[in-house]
Amino acid sequence: MTKPIRLSSTADVAQYCNFITDPKKQALVTYCTSTVLKNNQGTLGDITMVGTPDVPGLVVVALQSNPYMSNYGDIKTVFGVVLNSTICSCWDKEHPGGYQTLSDMMDALRDFHINGKKPDSTTHTIPLGNKHFEIELSTTTTGYLWKLLVAK
């Protein structure tokens, strides 16, 4: 993991932390921090938190996978750690979406995506704890992009 980059100037936030499509909600973003994640194969992706310095309102995890998904286990691990750290360690009690584990949910999304005809697939919003999350999977020219979005 690299040292986090903290962005708080209006210009930097507008340029590097512009993740929200609703302009009114994006205007609430006054702070952003990002770090790059690496594994033994190189760069895995990044984690970005946006909102205010005291309370991140959105956590975005974007991880790249090759066409064979050889780092799929790493992606599952990172997503699990982020959900446990930012929401709760309550999956076993709530079973969001009816899935016994996060791994089961990710496997279902992967299978749906690979068997589908669209370049993007999503779980849509899933409640967990007192927050919610969404997982997106996109086909890219170099493999797959996995995104985890956690919001309060």
Side-chain angles (χ1 to χ4, degrees), residues 48-124:
T48 303
M49 291 186 245
V50 299
T52 66
D54 298 328
V55 181
L58 177 65
V59 177
V60 180
V61 181
L63 305 177
Q64 186 66 40
S65 171
N66 63 28
Y68 308 105
M69 290 196 201
S70 61
N71 62 351
Y72 186 45
D74 293 343
I75 293 169
K76 286 180 175 184
T77 298
V78 171
F79 280 16
V81 169
V82 169
L83 286 177
N84 287 339
S85 301
T86 60
I87 297 181
C88 64
S89 297
C90 55
W91 193 286
D92 292 341
K93 294 175 190 164
E94 297 188 24
H95 301 287
Y99 294 96
Q100 292 299 308
T101 65
L102 172 62
S103 181
D104 291 345
M105 178 182 280
M106 291 178 69
D107 289 348
L109 178 62
R110 178 201 58 201
D111 295 347
F112 174 81
H113 183 77
I114 289 172
N115 293 320
K117 305 271 190 244
K118 297 182 180 181
D120 302 298
S121 301
T122 182
T123 61
H124 299 291

